[in-house]
Amino acid sequence: MTDVRPDAQRQHRRVFIRTYGCQMNVYDSDRMADLLRSLGYRLAESVEHADLAVLNTCHIREHASEKVYSELGRLRDVKQERHEAGRDLTIAVAGCVAQAEGEEIVRRQPAVDIVVGPQAYHRLPELLAEAERKAALKRAGKRLPGAGVLDTDFPAESKFDHLPTPHGVRAGSAFLSIQEGCDKFCTFCVVPYTRGAEYSRPAVHVLAEARALVAAGAIELTLLGQNVNAYHGEGPDGSTWSLARLITALAGIEGLARLRYTTSHPRDMDDDLIAAHRDVPQLMPYLHLPVQSGSDRLLAAMNRRHGRDLFLGLVDRLRAARPDLALSSDFIVGFPGESDADFDATMQLVDRVGFASAFSFKYSRRPGTPGSALPDQISESVKSARLAALQSLLAEQARAFNQSKVGQIVPVLFAETGRKPGQIVGKTPWLQSVHLDGSPRLIGRIAEVRVTAGHTNSLAGELAGLMRAEEAA
């Protein structure tokens, strides 16, 4: 969960945006802030100093909705206190919980003024105007048939066509959404129901936004999509561009040093994209490729549309193309019907591949998905034991990968100051977090670092050679 922080400049109207979940939501929150900036809003440090509070929600994990309702209870109390002091607070719920629950949010928490899905947040100006109109009528004593303003449609027009140019870049790195939605319908996943069908932005629009981000200071771009490697946007000549072709075009932007993309699906990892990992130096040697399970039986039950052998074949081809490639993945344990043999197959796949990092979770029922109605649900105790065993193996592999970098000199893009005085933190090409002593002047820049220690979740290092001499001077 992340909070969007304020601009230094103070304005009359201020917005506080709290972001839950994925990188796509971080991108969406930034774009909502850009959109609201055109209406005179600036970012607030806290909801207590805001005129508008936006919760940009995620519906992927278990109990996600209840966390939102808990936060809405707190906002309701703030709103009441503000009302008694003669000031208004408008509350908006955006994102995937908004899309999934819609009117239920307003029913359970009448203090909410706006509910807007992830495909409709470009309509925030109109929704705010309608919410203000309703608030004025309510103050005048008018009885209204409904409370909040809802927009959870999947509009025919793309929201990207109505958003302003991105404003500002954090520490040299920026997210760039190029694809949304999913047509895969995995039985455990709510994304097709909350984000809609797959949509790819036209290449000219992506390139224009990328150039604007680089002009604003980005030297690293992460391309985002629910199935980002299913990208099939219209090219400048009317042809269909693949992700590989888009990456090649983006790599030609002067000043852009690093490219990444996430999240991928094995079915969409084609020959051209594998070749791009070999041929495009700006494409970082790191790939997040979710597999979820090592069991063909469970992969079929999950409707993953690929088997174990396809995934392992992709791993071999990717490593042949880029030998230093680091792989990350997603795993679900305890999917309905998972046997000991199925779980052993997952452990064997992990042992065979060797992952630099991974995300692993216990299966949780998501309302409305086919998986929630499957028989043979696995007990929590079995899920917990399997997750502990899997995470132990994954942690061992992550530690081994990090320790393999000890003694090497690697380029690090510095992103922020560390928790200790005089410490700065950045990312290697393999997306490892590395911390060392250094000047905040390095934030947003790439510098050579000698790795001195490798831990499970991070590296330690020191500035190397010429850069260390320049910092000393």
Side-chain angles (χ1 to χ4, degrees):
M1 183 176 72
T2 59
D3 297 345
V4 178
R5 292 300 178 190
D7 295 327
Q9 183 182 7
R10 292 188 61 83
Q11 296 289 335
H12 177 64
R13 291 194 295 180
R14 302 183 76 81
V15 57
F16 177 78
I17 304 177
R18 173 155 288 171
T19 308
Y20 300 80
C22 68
Q23 294 164 319
M24 184 76 81
N25 270 13
V26 175
Y27 174 88
D28 285 346
S29 289
D30 286 345
R31 303 314 309 277
M32 280 190 272
D34 293 336
L35 187 65
L36 292 166
R37 187 174 286 107
S38 67
L39 301 180
Y41 283 91
R42 293 298 181 264
L43 296 177
E45 180 68 39
S46 68
V47 69
E48 286 76 14
H49 299 96
D51 304 286
L52 168 65
V54 180
L55 301 185
N56 191 14
T57 61
C58 175
H59 205 259
I60 296 297
R61 301 290 168 234
E62 190 174 15
H63 306 310
S65 299
E66 294 310 312
K67 292 177 182 177
V68 172
Y69 287 117
S70 176
E71 180 66 12
L72 286 175
R74 187 177 79 86
L75 292 181
R76 173 202 59 205
D77 294 341
V78 174
K79 183 172 185 171
Q80 181 61 33
E81 293 171 4
R82 296 281 294 277
H83 178 72
E84 293 171 356
R87 290 186 62 193
D88 290 329
L89 173 65
T90 301
I91 300 174
V93 180
C96 292
V97 172
Q99 185 69 44
E101 307 217 358
E103 294 181 358
E104 177 69 5
I105 293 173
V106 176
R107 187 193 68 78
R108 286 185 58 177
Q109 186 47 266
V112 172
D113 300 286
I114 296 170
V115 178
V116 57
Q119 303 305 327
Y121 67 75
H122 62 288
R123 296 178 180 172
L124 265 175
E126 295 95 325
L127 300 178
L128 279 167
E130 177 65 11
E132 289 171 3
R133 185 187 71 84
K134 284 193 170 187
L137 290 173
K138 187 176 180 180
R139 286 193 297 270
K142 303 289 186 181
R143 294 181 63 86
L144 302 176
V149 179
L150 276 71
D151 192 341
T152 54
D153 292 338
F154 291 105
E157 78 276 10
S158 167
K159 68 186 179 188
F160 299 105
D161 295 339
H162 302 274
L163 296 174
T165 301
H167 177 89
V169 168
R170 295 187 185 94
S173 185
F175 294 133
L176 174 50
S177 182
I178 67 169
Q179 182 271 342
E180 277 199 280
C182 181
D183 295 341
K184 299 296 189 293
F185 289 92
C186 297
T187 55
F188 55 81
C189 186
V190 298
V191 166
Y193 311 102
T194 58
R195 288 279 181 171
E198 288 181 359
Y199 166 78
S200 296
R201 297 178 66 187
V204 290
H205 296 173
V206 174
L207 290 165
E209 186 170 331
R211 293 188 187 100
L213 289 167
V214 171
I219 57 177
E220 176 185 78
L221 294 179
T222 299
L223 310 180
L224 301 179
Q226 269 76 43
N227 277 330
V228 69
N229 58 338
Y231 178 83
H232 54 278
E234 181 182 0
D237 59 356
S239 64
T240 299
W241 279 27
S242 65
L243 179 59
R245 188 169 181 183
L246 180 66
I247 284 171
T248 301
L250 288 166
I253 298 175
E254 185 176 355
L256 182 59
R258 292 183 170 189
L259 280 166
R260 304 182 186 275
Y261 63 90
T262 193
T263 289
S264 306
H265 194 285
R267 280 291 299 272
D268 297 312
M269 185 60 69
D270 60 24
D271 293 343
D272 289 344
L273 189 52
I274 292 173
H277 280 276
R278 178 193 65 211
D279 299 334
V280 180
Q282 291 89 343
L283 186 56
M284 292 294 95
Y286 173 90
L287 174 62
H288 185 67
L289 190 62
V291 63
Q292 309 299 354
S293 174
S295 162
D296 281 336
R297 191 178 72 83
L298 276 196
L299 290 171
M302 292 176 173
N303 195 35
R304 287 290 292 169
R305 306 188 187 188
H306 68 82
R308 173 192 181 94
D309 288 347
L310 182 142
F311 182 84
L312 292 175
L314 287 173
V315 168
D316 291 343
R317 292 170 60 205
L318 283 160
R319 284 179 167 161
R322 186 72 192 255
D324 65 337
L325 184 73
L327 285 167
S328 174
S329 198
D330 291 343
F331 295 93
I332 294 173
V333 301
F335 188 80
E338 183 184 61
S339 66
D340 289 343
D342 293 323
F343 178 68
D344 287 345
T346 296
M347 295 290 280
Q348 291 165 15
L349 181 140
V350 172
D351 190 60
R352 156 83 159 75
V353 173
F355 292 95
S357 62
F359 301 93
S360 52
F361 308 94
K362 292 187 288 185
Y363 171 75
S364 61
R365 293 184 178 186
R366 308 310 300 141
T369 61
S372 65
L374 288 175
D376 299 323
Q377 298 285 330
I378 306 300
S379 71
E380 283 299 312
S381 61
V382 171
K383 288 182 189 179
S384 296
R386 289 176 179 171
L387 183 63
L390 175 60
Q391 289 184 338
S392 177
L393 177 57
L394 290 169
E396 179 184 325
Q397 292 185 346
R399 186 165 48 251
F401 179 76
N402 288 342
Q403 290 174 348
S404 73
K405 302 300 180 186
V406 173
Q408 295 185 19
I409 295 178
V410 301
V412 172
L413 172 56
F414 289 100
E416 59 188 353
T417 56
R419 286 177 290 183
K420 299 178 181 178
Q423 188 181 72
I424 53 176
V425 181
K427 297 290 185 183
T428 72
W430 302 277
L431 210 61
Q432 299 151 297
S433 180
V434 55
H435 52 85
L436 63 148
D437 292 334
S439 169
R441 291 180 298 172
L442 287 172
I443 293 174
R445 297 170 57 188
I446 295 174
E448 298 292 314
V449 169
R450 179 179 290 104
V451 180
T452 58
H455 311 294
T456 301
N457 298 313
S458 66
L459 304 175
E462 59 185 13
L463 292 173
L466 179 61
M467 180 56 68
R468 183 167 54 183
E470 289 177 359
E471 285 298 301

